[in-house]
Amino acid sequence: MTQGSVFRHLLSFSMPLLLGNIFQQLYNTVDTWVVGNFVSDAAFSAVGTVAPIINMLIGCFMGLASGAGVVISQYFGAKRYDKVQDAVHTSVVLTAILSVAFTILGVAMTPLMLRFMKTPANVFPESASYLTIYFAGMAGLMFYNMGAGILRAVGDSRRPFYYLVVAAVLNTVLDLVFVIVFRMGVDGVAYATIIAQAVSAVLTMASLLRTTSCVRVEVKKLRLDGTMLYQILQVGIPAALQMAVTAFSNVFVQSYINQFGSDCMGGWTAYAKMDQLLFLPMQSLALASTTFVGQNLGCGQRERAHRGVQMSLLMAVSVTLAMSLSVILAAPQIVAFFNSSPAVVEYGTLFLRRLTPFYVLCCVNQIYSGALRGAGNSRAPMVIMLLSFVLFRQVYLFVMSTFISNTILPLAMGYPAGWLVCSSATLLYYRHAARRGTALNLNMDGRPQP
């Protein structure tokens, strides 16, 4: 990514990543569709509304993984391949340790979190069963994402995409077999998901074991390098805290939604599926921006890094506007695809048509935050997002529900309100840092260290 067309590099990197993320979203989307059409409305709500809990733990790990990706991309850009090797092996060992810790934590906290979300009694048992199985097998998800992050850090976003396609197809087949043939209900879709994730992890790690590039994993070299671990955690911990706490704040939001009953929960579940889809292009381009900035700063090309950020933003805004218009026009049909209950369709259409126009705001905070992380600065995005998505949003929900209007649409508007605050603050920070010449600088005398 350090020479040639900026647009071509961003497009060729982000397209496989985008398609891969779409297939990854298919895991939970297919689960939701199968239970919504072949099990029950309660099962549909159970699978769909546990996403904030899943995202809280996964977000924490993904933040740590992003630290590894930034360090690897910067050393790769600087052609310091010995350091790339240290970072890769440290990342794999860290993943193994965290897989055990996160599995235990996820299973243990499931009942508590469901009660905290005020999950209705008719939904609680199936939500608890789905989450327990999911967290028991989440090591596959973690190893896939760390392995894919390593490959993407050196510009290879194609192989992670191919492995996700295999896993998504397998997940779909197993969902149908377990639910329709074996009548396993919610448990069936959970088992299908963890099996598919395990397959994607095996494929990714096998690729790293066989490759001849500088990211090759050799079993005899697996160890925690103290210096490298410190560098990874310097970037990864702020990102992990940001993603985990932001996801935890969505648990609060879900608790407000759950008060309006299972039909509203079902409509919110359908909206949440499209929410994840609308975020994918900007998130893919944000990761492309992170890798692009990391590699170019690694070899001292600061102005080229800036050009990559601006091009990423333009591409993200263009795609998001086009997708938003399509979702608004087809909102009832989209909701009915997941669940055709009239009440669920009514709620879901309301959410989609009122909230979707604001997604373009998120392009700003996603792209600029990704660029700052590529430069090793994950603290500023962390602080801004926590203040916007956690503190501001919770204050908004409390004030709105207590003093203004405890009805569903004003509460749901807490999402775009937080996006507006976050994007405004991120843009102001980036422009201020750019005027000072510190927006995209490595933190240690131009060397590729966080």
Side-chain angles (χ1 to χ4, degrees):
M1 291 191 175
T2 58
Q3 54 188 327
S5 169
V6 173
F7 174 79
R8 180 177 58 80
H9 277 301
L10 291 171
L11 182 65
S12 63
F13 182 90
S14 62
M15 280 305 296
L17 183 60
L18 171 60
L19 293 173
N21 284 336
I22 290 174
F23 275 97
Q24 192 164 33
Q25 289 297 336
L26 282 177
Y27 284 135
N28 192 249
T29 300
V30 170
D31 291 351
T32 306
W33 179 80
V34 170
V35 296
N37 287 274
F38 297 103
V39 185
S40 66
D41 288 349
F44 175 74
S45 299
V47 172
T49 56
V50 298
I53 299 176
I54 292 173
N55 292 339
M56 182 172 62
L57 284 182
I58 292 177
C60 183
F61 174 74
M62 292 299 292
L64 292 171
S66 72
V70 167
V71 172
I72 291 169
S73 67
Q74 290 180 359
Y75 279 123
F76 182 74
K79 295 180 170 47
R80 298 184 64 181
Y81 302 129
D82 58 328
K83 295 295 185 182
V84 171
Q85 275 280 290
D86 291 342
V88 166
H89 289 94
T90 297
S91 299
V92 172
V93 175
L94 180 62
T95 302
I97 296 170
L98 292 178
S99 293
V100 176
F102 281 31
T103 297
I104 296 172
L105 182 62
V107 172
M109 71 186 299
T110 289
L112 175 65
M113 293 304 301
L114 289 174
R115 285 192 290 269
F116 183 79
M117 285 171 50
K118 302 177 183 176
T119 304
N122 66 319
V123 175
F124 192 102
E126 291 177 308
S127 292
S129 180
Y130 181 86
L131 280 178
T132 300
I133 296 169
Y134 188 96
F135 284 128
M138 72 178 300
L141 178 71
M142 296 175 71
F143 271 100
Y144 166 77
N145 280 290
M146 180 60 82
I150 292 170
L151 291 170
R152 290 168 185 152
V154 295
D156 181 1
S157 58
R158 294 181 183 274
R159 279 185 290 181
F161 163 64
Y162 298 147
Y163 303 150
L164 269 183
V165 172
V166 172
V169 172
L170 177 62
N171 179 65
T172 302
V173 173
L174 292 178
D175 269 342
L176 296 172
V177 171
F178 289 164
V179 172
I180 298 176
V181 178
F182 295 113
R183 306 285 183 183
M184 294 173 65
V186 167
D187 289 0
V189 296
Y191 283 119
T193 297
I194 65 173
I195 291 170
Q197 289 173 346
V199 169
S200 67
V202 170
L203 292 172
T204 305
M205 296 309 298
S207 179
L208 289 173
L209 287 165
R210 293 197 311 265
T211 185
T212 57
S213 74
C214 61
V215 293
R216 177 184 175 88
V217 172
E218 298 179 50
V219 175
K220 63 183 180 181
K221 292 184 179 180
L222 287 173
R223 66 184 182 88
L224 284 176
D225 181 283
T227 302
M228 197 59 64
L229 179 64
Y230 175 75
Q231 292 181 23
I232 291 171
L233 295 180
Q234 261 199 321
V235 179
I237 286 180
L241 288 174
Q242 170 214 311
M243 294 181 185
V245 177
T246 300
F248 182 72
S249 74
N250 291 334
V251 173
F252 282 95
V253 177
Q254 189 68 56
S255 70
Y256 282 91
I257 300 297
N258 290 355
Q259 296 180 62
F260 293 92
S262 59
D263 287 333
C264 183
M265 291 170 64
W268 188 260
T269 295
Y271 157 73
K273 298 299 102 183
M274 296 312 298
D275 167 83
Q276 293 165 359
L277 184 63
L278 286 165
F279 263 102
L280 291 182
M282 65 184 87
Q283 288 175 335
S284 299
L285 284 161
L287 184 53
S289 178
T290 298
T291 303
F292 189 92
V293 167
Q295 289 192 17
N296 280 280
L297 292 185
C299 63
Q301 298 188 138
R302 186 164 163 267
E303 289 305 316
R304 180 177 170 84
H306 275 294
R307 291 200 306 274
V309 175
Q310 300 310 312
M311 180 61 71
S312 298
L313 180 61
L314 177 62
M315 295 167 69
V317 169
S318 301
V319 175
T320 301
L321 284 174
M323 291 183 62
S324 297
L325 179 60
S326 300
V327 169
I328 292 169
L329 293 175
Q333 292 78 17
I334 291 171
V335 180
F337 172 77
F338 292 103
N339 191 308
S340 58
S341 169
V344 171
V345 172
E346 182 179 356
Y347 273 115
T349 301
L350 175 70
F351 296 139
L352 285 174
R353 287 186 167 164
R354 294 296 184 271
L355 303 185
T356 300
F358 297 97
Y359 275 81
V360 69
L361 293 172
C362 302
C363 296
V364 175
N365 68 66
Q366 292 292 319
I367 298 300
Y368 284 134
S369 295
L372 290 167
R373 291 192 191 100
N377 181 359
S378 62
R379 291 188 181 89
M382 176 194 72
V383 172
I384 292 171
M385 289 192 179
L386 291 183
L387 290 176
S388 305
F389 295 157
V390 181
L391 180 60
F392 170 81
R393 188 174 285 163
Q394 301 317 316
V395 170
Y396 172 95
L397 289 170
F398 174 77
V399 172
M400 181 62 67
S401 63
T402 306
F403 302 108
I404 302 176
S405 175
N406 190 30
T407 54
I408 187 60
L409 185 57
L411 293 176
M413 291 301 290
Y415 269 113
W419 299 337
L420 176 61
V421 171
C422 184
S423 292
S424 300
T426 303
L427 181 60
L428 288 172
Y429 175 86
Y430 188 90
R431 287 186 171 177
H432 174 71
R435 284 195 296 270
R436 296 175 56 197
T438 59
L440 295 180
N441 278 328
L442 295 181
N443 291 346
M444 297 187 68
D445 304 320
R447 288 181 292 152
Q449 300 178 22

